[in-house]
Amino acid sequence: MNEELPQGWASGEMGDVAKVVGGGTPDSQDPENFSTEGGIPWLTPADLSNNKAIRVARGKRFLTKKGFNNSSAHLVPKGTVLFSSRAPIGYVAIAANEISTNQGFKSFVCGGGICSEYIYFWLRFATPMAEELASGTTFAEISGKNAAKIPLKLAPSGEQRRIVAKLEKLLGKVDACQERLAKIPVLLKRFRQSVLAAASSGRLTADWREKSPNIGTSEELISEVSKRREEKLQKLKATPVKERHAALSEFDNSSPDLRNDLDLPDIPENWSWVDLRFVMSPEEPFCYGVVQPGEDDPHGPRLIRVCDMEGGRVVKESLRGIPGTIHAQYQRSVLRGGEVLVSVVGTIGRAAIASLDLAGINIARAVAKIPVREFEAKFVLLWLSTSRAENWMVGDAREVARKTLNLEQLRTLPIPLPPLDEQQEIVRRVEGLFALADQIEVRFTQARAQVDPLTPSLLARAFRGELVPQDPNDEPAAKLLERILQQKNGGVPTYHGREKLKKVSPLGDRRSASR
């Protein structure tokens, strides 16, 4: 911090203007040390993890008098700046009342002429400087001695108040904007799920059905598919075993076979419920993928993992390579393109479609390949992406080493089946709505990229002396600092009493604390 100071400012350290106070925790195994309904307010860094307010009055728990007296906690006064010194470093708040903390804080009890809010904003700005003073192997922590060494740029008292007023006004607007932006991903997720729910229930295309009276029924489609499969099965049976391109067992889905343990919601009259097994092509393997090898081969065949599946598509840029010998051992799981993929180990139910340019690529053991050829594969993908289908899949999964959905369970998953024309219309409409959501998401990302840097930028301007006008009539900060140091070096008492409660008074306050 060697840059030139603004006119009238002074440089120093936090220990020059504030008393550094640690905290403590009583025996956590003794329930008489803690209370959730009242007592001595007690704060941990975790209590500030989602805190947006400048001032804080309490944490989740209180200390009883017994717990307080049997710990190294101190009761610091209202206005104390609370700074988390480990796990993590940098949470900041101002005590709205007398409060105590655990040992994860180094709190600053400020002297006269020092605005607590100014120190609050300074510590938010100076957290990277504070982190440089941390040490530790298990986790980084700032000691009380080093907390006192945190650098400080001190403005005159009057300018401190003007800076605080300006920052509270501007950062309040920034925070409000960030809060509104933070709701957008949640709203978009709800929107997409609502679209999927409407698509899979028939509500999305209700108007389309009214205008298309001759679209037929899914029963007719099921009948056509069943007939074709029966004919192929008979031809296969008549083919010599050595010349067969598929096993007879693959043709066990000539007709739907619905399970009866799930509550199936209502669907349009011309739709039908079928099992996932029925929408699969019997001429292609329905299978898991590769048992992943220990080493990658950057020049080998590509492999699709669960982490490569995002937003219904495969992120090709992140695909890893595997040895060609491993790829050759798992030819059943090699893609032709157009298959639906779903995760079945660990993360259950994440779905994506394999685009045609992924032909020849293999899939990992945690991914199942669902070959859909006689129906609209993208409609199957949309159904698997609904919260209802995902909940059913998660419910069917079993805990082995990790949560796993076996293929026998997956193939029994019910799926609402519209006529083929309506499947395609549903996909067209959903893609249009999702494209709109994607556009909003892009604009959200752009807006967040503009808003997020505002807080550090405003803090930097404030402590360069550029945020508010300076007043030549303000007492220079050097004189304020000199006065505080004189009081400090004059033996000013900071601890008052060692009775039931231990209280820290503001630095430079010579008044005795009555208990």
Side-chain angles (χ1 to χ4, degrees):
M1 197 174 66
N2 297 320
E3 70 267 22
E4 185 177 347
L5 289 171
Q7 185 68 33
W9 289 40
S11 63
E13 296 176 345
M14 283 300 305
D16 296 334
V17 301
K19 176 70 178 180
V20 181
V21 183
T25 303
D27 183 2
S28 60
Q29 301 302 313
D30 186 350
E32 294 185 357
N33 288 332
F34 300 94
S35 169
T36 57
E37 298 180 352
I40 300 165
W42 186 68
L43 201 67
T44 71
D47 293 321
L48 295 183
S49 60
N50 294 313
N51 180 66
K52 298 295 183 182
I54 293 179
R55 293 163 185 81
V56 61
R58 52 162 293 186
K60 290 182 178 179
R61 293 188 291 175
F62 296 86
L63 294 183
T64 62
K65 287 187 176 181
K66 174 186 175 182
F68 185 88
N69 290 330
N70 290 332
S71 73
S72 58
H74 294 282
L75 193 65
V76 296
K78 177 181 178 180
T80 298
V81 183
L82 314 169
F83 184 75
S84 67
S85 54
R86 70 179 192 186
I89 294 170
Y91 288 158
V92 194
I94 298 175
N97 42 251
E98 289 188 336
I99 199 169
S100 62
T101 72
N102 77 348
Q103 61 274 24
F105 283 90
K106 296 299 179 287
S107 300
F108 297 98
V109 186
C110 300
I114 302 299
C115 179
S116 295
E117 290 80 4
Y118 179 87
I119 297 300
Y120 164 85
F121 286 120
W122 169 254
L123 289 174
R124 284 182 61 177
F125 173 74
T127 294
M129 304 180 206
E131 290 173 336
E132 293 179 0
L133 297 170
S135 60
T137 53
T138 306
F139 50 79
E141 180 174 11
I142 303 174
S143 66
K145 181 179 179 181
N146 283 341
K149 295 179 180 179
I150 296 173
L152 172 65
K153 292 172 68 172
L154 187 64
S157 292
E159 193 168 349
Q160 290 179 39
R161 291 190 291 272
R162 292 194 297 274
I163 287 172
V164 167
K166 191 70 171 181
L167 283 175
E168 286 184 338
K169 179 180 179 180
L170 295 177
L171 293 184
K173 293 180 178 179
V174 173
D175 290 345
C177 184
Q178 288 177 325
E179 287 177 9
R180 288 194 291 270
L181 286 175
K183 296 176 182 177
I184 292 177
V186 177
L187 293 174
L188 287 175
K189 183 177 181 180
R190 290 177 183 170
F191 171 75
R192 290 188 174 103
Q193 277 299 321
S194 295
V195 170
L196 291 173
S200 59
S201 66
R203 297 195 309 273
L204 187 64
T205 44
D207 62 324
W208 182 85
R209 284 193 302 277
E210 290 180 2
K211 298 174 184 177
S212 309
N214 299 320
I215 59 172
T217 68
S218 59
E219 285 292 342
E220 296 169 347
L221 175 61
I222 292 169
S223 178
E224 293 173 8
V225 171
S226 297
K227 182 179 179 181
R228 285 198 300 269
R229 290 179 180 176
E230 283 293 338
E231 290 173 353
K232 289 181 179 180
L233 177 59
Q234 295 307 317
K235 289 181 180 179
L236 189 63
K237 288 180 178 179
T239 303
V241 175
K242 292 183 179 180
E243 298 178 14
R244 289 175 183 172
H245 66 279
L248 294 178
S249 59
E250 299 286 357
F251 284 82
D252 64 346
N253 63 344
S254 293
S255 60
D257 185 15
L258 274 178
R259 56 197 284 186
N260 57 12
D261 63 328
L262 295 175
D263 183 20
L264 303 180
D266 293 335
I267 53 177
E269 292 182 358
N270 63 331
W271 290 29
S272 300
W273 282 100
V274 299
D275 52 327
L276 188 61
R277 174 189 64 98
F278 180 74
V279 303
M280 299 180 197
S281 169
E283 300 177 79
E284 297 178 49
F286 164 51
C287 60
Y288 297 125
V290 174
V291 176
Q292 296 188 31
E295 296 183 1
D296 294 350
D297 181 351
H299 304 294
R302 302 290 94 182
L303 182 75
I304 297 172
R305 302 158 295 171
V306 175
C307 61
D308 302 318
M309 298 159 54
E310 184 179 316
R313 66 184 187 90
V314 175
V315 183
K316 291 177 284 188
E317 295 77 13
S318 64
L319 299 182
R320 62 175 283 195
I322 58 172
T325 52
I326 300 294
H327 176 73
Q329 293 175 26
Y330 291 89
Q331 286 299 293
R332 277 176 57 84
S333 54
V334 174
L335 301 176
R336 282 176 48 186
E339 298 93 340
V340 177
L341 309 177
V342 62
S343 61
V344 291
V345 178
T347 300
I348 304 297
R350 181 180 297 180
I353 198 156
S355 54
L356 295 177
D357 60 349
L358 293 174
I361 288 178
N362 222 316
I363 57 175
R365 170 65 177 77
V367 179
K369 179 183 72 170
I370 304 173
V372 181
R373 304 299 176 188
E374 297 161 292
F375 306 93
E376 176 53 67
K378 290 183 178 179
F379 175 80
V380 176
L381 169 68
L382 296 180
W383 164 246
L384 292 176
S385 302
T386 64
S387 56
R388 185 183 296 275
E390 183 178 343
N391 290 338
W392 282 348
M393 286 187 280
V394 170
D396 283 341
R398 298 292 178 264
E399 196 74 43
V400 191
R402 288 191 294 168
K403 206 168 186 64
T404 302
L405 177 62
N406 65 50
L407 296 184
E408 288 305 309
Q409 283 297 109
L410 178 59
R411 71 206 310 253
T412 68
L413 181 74
I415 174 172
L417 189 69
L420 185 57
D421 287 348
E422 190 167 1
Q423 294 176 38
Q424 294 166 346
E425 177 64 17
I426 288 171
V427 168
R428 187 188 69 80
R429 293 191 176 197
V430 170
E431 288 182 342
L433 292 169
F434 276 17
L436 176 61
D438 291 343
Q439 292 174 14
I440 295 173
E441 201 159 35
V442 168
R443 294 179 65 181
F444 155 74
T445 302
Q446 293 171 341
R448 191 174 60 180
Q450 292 178 326
V451 171
D452 287 351
L454 289 178
T455 294
S457 175
L458 287 168
L459 290 172
R461 287 187 60 196
F463 297 111
R464 289 198 303 266
E466 299 172 357
L467 194 62
V468 298
Q470 293 182 300
D471 187 343
N473 295 320
D474 284 340
E475 179 189 53
K479 290 187 177 181
L480 170 62
L481 185 58
E482 181 182 0
R483 187 164 58 251
I484 293 173
L485 290 173
Q486 285 176 349
Q487 291 176 337
K488 179 181 179 182
N489 295 331
V492 177
T494 54
Y495 290 89
H496 298 271
R498 301 293 298 180
E499 305 90 15
K500 295 295 182 181
L501 299 183
K502 295 163 282 183
K503 179 176 178 180
V504 180
S505 68
L507 186 68
D509 186 352
R510 295 182 178 274
R511 295 171 296 177
S512 61
S514 60
R515 305 299 301 163

